[in-house]
């Protein structure tokens, strides 16, 4: 025996164990229950792994329907009964519910105001546990303990029953779940005593609106740990007591058992968007021989690894906000491909991901909500420490472009589900390029981005920007009185003009980086379109008609007239590509006074819509942190010579807008689009941000007020960045001085490529602003 080698191995094992023991347990700071009042369908899915297809969660109102397609639905902390545990939770994708029960047979979920009308069960939140990768609850009406966990493509259930001769598990496959929309087809059957398979095809509201020929199909193949005593089926037409298969709307099965006290029955359900065969292959690859407990531990380890890429030291409340925000950022946008690389195409066919030289798939294909506003939060976080996720997003959109000829902002099984009618995919990809993420066909990407910014010919409604031809022709989008968008203009003309000005800037910088000078000149000229709507008398952006006249009866606080999900006061600051020009147009002193007054007023309403519980609660206000168009505004003081006001207000937003309660989580009227508000907190609390979303030729990082005494960031390139805030406290929010790797940092910004080399960024904090630090050289504005 080689004793030296054995001793070396033992020492290594001890060291690894020691390192693991020293690694902070960040999972204890994640509270998935935060912000669960009025939350979106995809928001509350604790039993999942990062970016998983299987996202299991209890549903309190999943079958109620979703008239407009995006309302808060699924799980709400104000509800007191659970109707089932659902597997698929994505933007416009929902389906496959499982529910255990005892007693008389019921095959409808029943209503919130009358739980006894169906198989739903009351529950007490003191008997509920939600943590990353795991969910547990006691169903009071049945005395059944339900537990959930998941791998990427497989949902795991464990139901612990009381002694009962009428115990059952209900597989509800053919009914509306969350944002699923109308069920078109559904089937489920037992294939033997312990295995089942099935599918459901749905027609979501936003597919109907933006891609009407599309459908969303979800497939399952599952196994149950104990053969049922008997099996029955049901559909909307009724119950078939002795059938082991169901077909059509409302299709489902009920598996009957006689259970002893504390008897546990487990299920594993493989998921796929392409076929039952691939759902089975996914289960075989990830869950064959895997127990519930091992799956739970595996999910826990995965979350610990991914969340642990960022470690922070500071007060408990801020750490809970930080890691819960990071949890939501990593939870959103789930893989839609199978373990064999298959993924769903819009036309119903199956696409195939390419393999790299090692035979591995180099990227994933995602289902994704719109990227609207995500360049001020999510993509910056991806670029910092999760570049593989950013790469997955880029590759997904290029796959869509190759199939459809256009980018799609939101994607549900390759269907366009835009939601906002614009399209910032080109900007997000251009920023990925500038951030060094270039593992794709960059020439193809530029052609797709160019078309996205300039072309309206034969453009499908789901690709957004139906008014882009008018923007290219006139330099701004003309206002239309009718609530529509077409080739002549839009009812949201002013916000579209501002947005297209920003996105053409991003495309211009990409053209410049790739040596495409004529394209650069055209695009950079269009990036100044906002100037055509700037009204110098009121010093506000104001919608214009096609003849060049400003609209009449103009109310700067009025939302929805010229501005989508906001108003003129909010949107006037939407010039992230050139803050210097906006500041000069308003006048520096007036700019600072106006903006500071806005935040002073906004603070009284929690930087949003006060305590009103609604996604649009703050769209009439002066500043609305609960929605995307405002998320860069507090950082503009860095450009206007008063960086201490950026420090003051970003810290105040972190402290006051964000909460740690089910109702006060992401504001009150929150619209937490798959991790956007959560990742804003992560970046802002680290004191790092870029109003341009890394779209510049040489991106920068602006500096704010770090909320933590110390932070250690594992950068995406493998290097490490440490951030220390000396004398930091709840009142010491102002930067007095800063150094980077031992050298004085006189500016409130630095180039991103410098930061990504790693090292130590040190701030000295105090309770009063240092009005000279960071003021001499503002961040670069126009390039």
């Amino acid at each position: 025996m080689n004793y030296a080698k054995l001793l070396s191995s033992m020492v290594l094992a001890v060291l690894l164990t020691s390192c693991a023991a020293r690694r902070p347990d960040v999972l204890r700071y994640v509270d998935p229950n935060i912000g669960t009042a009025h939350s979106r369908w995809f928001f509350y899915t604790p039993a999942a792994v990062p970016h998983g297809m299987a996202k299991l969660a209890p549903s309190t109102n999943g079958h109620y329907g979703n008239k407009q397609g995006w309302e808060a639905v699924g799980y709400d902390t104000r509800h007191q009964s659970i109707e089932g545990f659902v597997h698929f939770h994505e933007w416009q994708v929902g389906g496959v519910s499982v529910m255990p029960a005892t007693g008389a047979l019921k095959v409808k979920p029943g209503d919130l105001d009358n739980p006894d009308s169906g198989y739903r069960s009351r529950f007490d939140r003191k008997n509920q546990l939600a943590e990353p990768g795991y969910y547990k609850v006691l169903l009071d009406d049945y005395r059944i303990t339900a537990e959930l966990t998941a791998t990427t493509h497989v949902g795991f259930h464990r139901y612990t029953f009381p002694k009962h001769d009428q115990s059952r598990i209900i597989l509800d496959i053919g009914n509306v779940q969350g944002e699923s929309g109308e069920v078109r087809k559904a089937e489920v059957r037992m294939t033997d005593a312990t295995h089942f398979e099935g599918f459901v095809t749905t027609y979501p509201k936003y597919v109907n609106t933006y891609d009407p020929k599309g459908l969303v199909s979800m497939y399952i193949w599952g196994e149950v740990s104990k053969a049922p005593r008997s099996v029955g089926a049901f559909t909307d037409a009724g119950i078939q007591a002795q059938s082991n298969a169901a077909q059509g709307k409302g299709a489902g099965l009920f598996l009957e058992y006689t259970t002893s006290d504390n008897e546990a029955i487990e299920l594993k359900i493989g998921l796929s968007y392409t076929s039952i065969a691939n759902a089975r292959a996914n289960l075989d690859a990830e869950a064959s021989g895997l127990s519930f407990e091992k799956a739970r531990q595996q999910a826990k380890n995965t979350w610990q690894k991914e969340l642990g890429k960022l470690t922070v030291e500071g007060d408990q409340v801020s750490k809970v906000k930080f890691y819960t925000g990071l949890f939501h950022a990593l939870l959103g946008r789930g893989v839609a491909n199978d373990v064999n690389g298959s993924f769903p195409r819009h036309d119903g066919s199956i696409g195939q991901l390419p393999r790299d030289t090692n035979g591995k798939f180099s990227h994933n294909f995602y289902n994704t909500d719109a990227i609207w506003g995500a360049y001020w939060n999510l993509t910056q976080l991806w670029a910092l420490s999760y570049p593989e996720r950013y790469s997955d997003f880029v590759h997904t959109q290029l796959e869509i472009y190759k199939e459809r000829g256009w980018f799609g902002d939101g994607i549900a099984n390759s269907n366009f589900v835009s939601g906002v009618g614009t399209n910032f995919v080109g900007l997000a990809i251009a920023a990925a390029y500038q951030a060094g993420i270039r593992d794709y066909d960059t020439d193809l990407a530029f052609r797709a981005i160019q078309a996205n910014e300039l072309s309206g010919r034969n453009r499908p409604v789901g690709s957004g920007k139906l008014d882009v031809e008018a923007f290219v022709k006139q330099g701004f989008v003309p206002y239309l009185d009718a609530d529509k968008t077409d080739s002549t203009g839009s009812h949201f003309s002013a916000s579209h003009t501002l947005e297209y000005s920003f996105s053409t800037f991003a495309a211009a910088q990409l053209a410049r980086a790739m040596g495409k000078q004529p394209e650069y000149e055209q695009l950079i000229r269009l990036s100044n379109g906002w100037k055509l709507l700037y009204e110098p008398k009121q010093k506000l952006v104001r919608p214009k008609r096609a003849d060049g006249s400003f609209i009449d009866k103009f109310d700067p606080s009025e939302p929805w007239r010229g501005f989508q999900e906001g108003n003129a006061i909010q949107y006037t600051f939407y010039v992230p590509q050139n803050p210097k020009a906006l500041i000069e147009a308003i006048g520096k002193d007036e700019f600072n006074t106006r903006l500071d007054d806005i935040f002073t007023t906004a603070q009284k309403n929690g930087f949003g819509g006060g305590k009103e519980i609604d996604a649009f609660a703050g769209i009439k206000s002066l500043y609305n942190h609960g929605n995307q168009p405002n998320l860069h505004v507090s950082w503009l003081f860095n450009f206007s010579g008063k960086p201490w006001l950026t420090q003051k207000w970003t810290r105040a937003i972190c402290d006051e807008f964000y909460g740690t309660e089910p109702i006060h989580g992401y504001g009150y009227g929150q619209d937490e689009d798959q991790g956007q508000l959560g990742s804003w907190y992560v970046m802002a609390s680290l004191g790092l941000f870029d109003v341009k979303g890394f779209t510049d030729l040489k991106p920068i990082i602006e500096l704010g007020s770090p909320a933590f005494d110390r932070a250690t960031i594992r950068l995406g390139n493998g290097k490490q960045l440490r951030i220390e805030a000396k004398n930091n406290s709840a009142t010491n929010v102002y930067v007095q001085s800063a150094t980077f790797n031992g050298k004085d940092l006189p500016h409130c910004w630095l180039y991103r490529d410098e930061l990504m080399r790693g090292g130590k960024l040190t701030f000295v904090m105090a309770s009063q602003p240092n009005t000279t630090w960071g003021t001499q050289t503002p961040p670069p504005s126009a390039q």
Side-chain angles (χ1 to χ4, degrees), residues 69-376:
W70 64 270
E71 294 96 334
V73 66
Y75 178 89
D76 194 307
T77 192
R78 297 167 294 177
H79 298 161
Q80 304 303 319
S81 61
I82 289 171
E83 65 176 55
F85 303 99
V86 183
H87 291 72
F88 291 95
H89 286 85
E90 296 292 348
W91 167 235
Q92 298 297 290
V93 180
V96 183
S97 181
V98 176
M99 183 66 176
T102 60
L105 176 65
K106 299 175 183 178
V107 296
K108 298 292 185 183
D111 299 324
L112 278 165
D113 57 359
N114 183 16
D116 296 325
S117 62
Y119 58 68
R120 69 169 56 237
S121 172
R122 299 166 184 87
F123 73 108
D124 190 324
R125 283 181 172 77
K126 71 180 182 181
N127 297 318
Q128 174 184 254
L129 174 63
E131 58 189 28
Y134 177 70
Y135 178 82
K136 178 181 180 180
V137 69
L138 175 63
L139 300 173
D140 288 343
D141 291 350
Y142 306 124
R143 307 310 298 171
I144 295 171
T145 297
E147 297 173 90
L148 312 172
T149 191
T151 61
T152 299
H153 296 89
V154 183
F156 289 71
H157 306 244
R158 182 164 64 191
Y159 300 124
T160 302
F161 288 85
K163 179 179 173 59
H164 210 290
D165 60 3
Q166 285 184 294
S167 295
R168 72 182 56 84
I169 294 173
I170 300 165
L171 307 178
D172 191 341
I173 310 302
N175 284 301
V176 169
Q177 298 294 341
E179 293 175 355
S180 72
E182 176 194 1
V183 171
R184 287 292 181 89
K185 295 187 292 184
E187 291 183 19
V188 59
R189 66 179 63 84
M190 298 296 296
T191 60
D192 59 33
T194 58
H195 293 90
F196 53 90
E197 65 182 28
F199 75 91
V200 58
T201 299
T202 63
Y203 193 43
K205 170 67 174 177
Y206 274 52
V207 173
N208 182 1
T209 301
Y210 293 105
D211 220 350
K213 294 182 180 180
L215 295 168
V216 171
S217 292
M218 295 156 275
Y219 301 87
I220 61 169
W221 192 87
E223 60 183 43
V224 61
S225 64
K226 179 182 179 180
R229 182 184 69 232
S230 63
V231 177
F234 58 91
T235 65
D236 282 354
I239 297 173
Q240 299 85 47
Q242 300 302 315
S243 176
N244 68 354
Q247 181 176 352
K249 289 188 176 183
L253 298 177
F254 52 92
L255 284 56
E256 298 284 355
Y257 293 93
T258 299
T259 55
S260 57
D261 193 34
N262 289 322
E263 180 176 357
I265 299 176
E266 298 184 9
L267 291 86
K268 301 177 187 178
I269 303 179
L271 311 180
S272 172
Y273 293 116
T274 60
S275 69
I276 291 173
N278 280 338
R280 181 172 185 173
N282 290 339
L283 187 146
D284 289 344
E286 295 179 1
S288 180
L290 191 65
S291 68
F292 183 95
E293 280 303 324
K294 287 184 177 178
R296 178 188 175 187
Q297 186 61 48
Q298 186 174 290
K300 180 179 179 179
N301 292 344
T302 299
W303 278 111
Q304 178 71 36
K305 176 186 174 185
E306 293 300 296
L307 293 170
K309 290 180 179 179
L310 285 73
T311 60
V312 294
E313 299 175 39
D315 70 271
Q316 176 89 2
V317 170
S318 296
K319 289 169 82 170
V320 169
K321 293 178 185 180
F322 182 91
Y323 283 111
T324 302
L326 184 56
F327 168 73
H328 284 127
L330 298 179
L331 193 63
R333 293 162 171 79
V335 298
N337 56 281
D338 302 311
V339 294
N340 63 10
S342 299
F343 66 89
R345 289 193 180 277
H346 167 73
D347 62 5
S349 64
I350 298 175
Q352 183 63 41
L353 296 177
R355 295 181 186 269
D356 61 22
T357 54
N358 297 318
K360 296 182 179 180
F361 301 112
S362 57
H363 61 273
N364 289 297
F365 183 88
Y366 282 171
N367 277 330
T368 172
D369 194 4
I371 207 73
W372 196 55
Y375 32 81
W376 287 325

Side-chain angles (χ1 to χ4, degrees), residues 34-82:
I34 290 173
T36 47
H38 197 270
S39 59
R40 300 279 292 280
W41 171 245
F42 44 65
F43 178 78
Y44 188 73
T45 58
V49 295
H51 299 280
M53 179 184 293
K55 293 181 176 175
L56 278 65
S59 190
T60 63
N61 62 342
H63 79 285
Y64 270 46
N66 206 325
K67 185 177 179 181
Q68 296 181 76
W70 64 270
E71 294 96 334
V73 66
Y75 178 89
D76 194 307
T77 192
R78 297 167 294 177
H79 298 161
Q80 304 303 319
S81 61
I82 289 171

